[in-house]
Amino acid sequence: MSRFSLQDFIKETEQKDKEEGLFELETPRMLEINLDKQIWAKAGSMVSYRGRIKFTREGVLENGLGTLLKKAFTGEGASLMKAEGKGTLYLADQGKKITILHLQNESIYVNGNDLLAFEPSINWDIKLMRKIAGMMSGGLFNIRLSGTGMIAITSHYEPLTLKVTKDNPVFTDPNATVAWSGNLQPDFVTDISLKTFFGRGSGESIQMKFSGEGFVVVQPFEEVYYAESKS
């Protein structure tokens, strides 16, 4: 058989049954869901499926009136779809790296752009970042996930987790912040020297400050860009 043959390509890239359960990483950037009943997924993340699966956009009052009102401010970034039925579903988001987490009566905040999928046993709620609404063009919200079940989050390239302690707070760029532990509440601070150095429209002048005990997940990429300052 010659090198680079079609048969070689198929053998190397074909789907493989890993029998790991509901969520499987078919590749580092492709999530396989062995669907039996229902899951929530980021709208537009479906790449392929087989079986009998029905997709429904999140209902107007699906998660309560409070969430509906919040969604009016967040735009499409937090839009979810419900996948119901039985089959195999493949999800991806702009080639980003996927991480599967199994929450066990725990909670985590995830940037609205970085949540790919989660089980219906997980409780979720949208949290707005009003303090920086006038400074950023997007990424103004995050989603609090809590309970027991599987979730999948995404990041550009390899994520880095930083521990937060009472004596050692962590500062992050909001555009590079993927997730943080559910017991932490970030504050937003402005570094005047950086603002002066980079200019008024610079993202580096606005930082998230995490204090207490927990962790923060960051990525080596600024996913959402700051709004251009208007003169």
Side-chain angles (χ1 to χ4, degrees), residues 68-142:
L68 170 66
L69 295 176
K70 292 173 188 176
K71 285 178 67 64
F73 294 94
T74 62
E76 291 298 304
S79 294
L80 298 171
M81 65 180 181
K82 186 192 303 181
E84 299 174 283
K86 188 175 180 63
T88 307
L89 172 62
Y90 296 94
L91 304 178
D93 185 14
Q94 300 180 14
K96 294 162 65 177
K97 182 178 174 61
I98 299 170
T99 300
I100 298 174
L101 302 173
H102 185 191
L103 299 186
Q104 301 181 59
N105 196 27
E106 298 165 302
S107 62
I108 187 173
Y109 285 92
V110 180
N111 183 291
N113 291 319
D114 300 321
L115 179 61
L116 183 62
F118 58 94
E119 287 191 76
S121 59
I122 296 293
N123 299 313
W124 60 280
D125 188 22
I126 295 174
K127 303 291 184 179
L128 297 179
M129 298 182 184
R130 289 188 177 88
K131 290 185 179 180
I132 55 172
M135 308 174 190
M136 297 178 65
S137 59
L140 306 180
F141 60 94
N142 53 75

Side-chain angles (χ1 to χ4, degrees), residues 21-228:
L22 178 63
F23 283 14
E24 296 182 8
L25 283 180
E26 185 61 33
T27 74
R29 304 176 191 280
M30 185 84 71
L31 177 67
E32 176 184 304
I33 299 178
N34 297 300
L35 187 62
D36 187 42
K37 292 181 181 178
Q38 173 190 326
I39 60 98
W40 286 100
K42 185 175 184 178
S45 63
M46 188 275 289
V47 172
S48 178
Y49 73 92
R50 53 187 171 193
R52 300 180 63 86
I53 301 177
K54 178 183 178 182
F55 299 92
T56 312
R57 199 63 172 259
E58 179 191 358
V60 174
L61 295 177
E62 189 78 50
N63 205 35
L65 181 59
T67 298
L68 170 66
L69 295 176
K70 292 173 188 176
K71 285 178 67 64
F73 294 94
T74 62
E76 291 298 304
S79 294
L80 298 171
M81 65 180 181
K82 186 192 303 181
E84 299 174 283
K86 188 175 180 63
T88 307
L89 172 62
Y90 296 94
L91 304 178
D93 185 14
Q94 300 180 14
K96 294 162 65 177
K97 182 178 174 61
I98 299 170
T99 300
I100 298 174
L101 302 173
H102 185 191
L103 299 186
Q104 301 181 59
N105 196 27
E106 298 165 302
S107 62
I108 187 173
Y109 285 92
V110 180
N111 183 291
N113 291 319
D114 300 321
L115 179 61
L116 183 62
F118 58 94
E119 287 191 76
S121 59
I122 296 293
N123 299 313
W124 60 280
D125 188 22
I126 295 174
K127 303 291 184 179
L128 297 179
M129 298 182 184
R130 289 188 177 88
K131 290 185 179 180
I132 55 172
M135 308 174 190
M136 297 178 65
S137 59
L140 306 180
F141 60 94
N142 53 75
I143 301 175
R144 188 178 192 273
L145 304 160
S146 62
T148 299
M150 306 290 284
I151 72 171
I153 65 175
T154 60
S155 62
H156 286 279
Y157 312 106
E158 305 296 327
L160 173 68
T161 298
L162 304 170
K163 288 187 177 180
V164 181
T165 64
K166 293 180 180 179
D167 298 328
N168 193 13
V170 172
F171 296 83
T172 67
D173 181 335
N175 293 348
T177 306
V178 174
W180 57 92
S181 49
N183 60 309
L184 296 181
Q185 291 289 344
D187 291 321
F188 292 91
V189 297
T190 301
D191 189 313
I192 300 300
S193 61
L194 284 174
K195 189 172 185 179
T196 302
F197 183 75
F198 288 111
R200 289 188 301 157
S202 172
E204 285 80 1
S205 64
I206 304 168
Q207 302 161 358
M208 298 175 78
K209 178 183 179 182
F210 294 90
S211 304
E213 298 284 342
F215 65 86
V216 182
V217 182
V218 294
Q219 62 184 0
F221 186 93
E222 294 189 9
E223 187 164 9
V224 181
Y225 297 98
Y226 281 73
E228 294 292 333

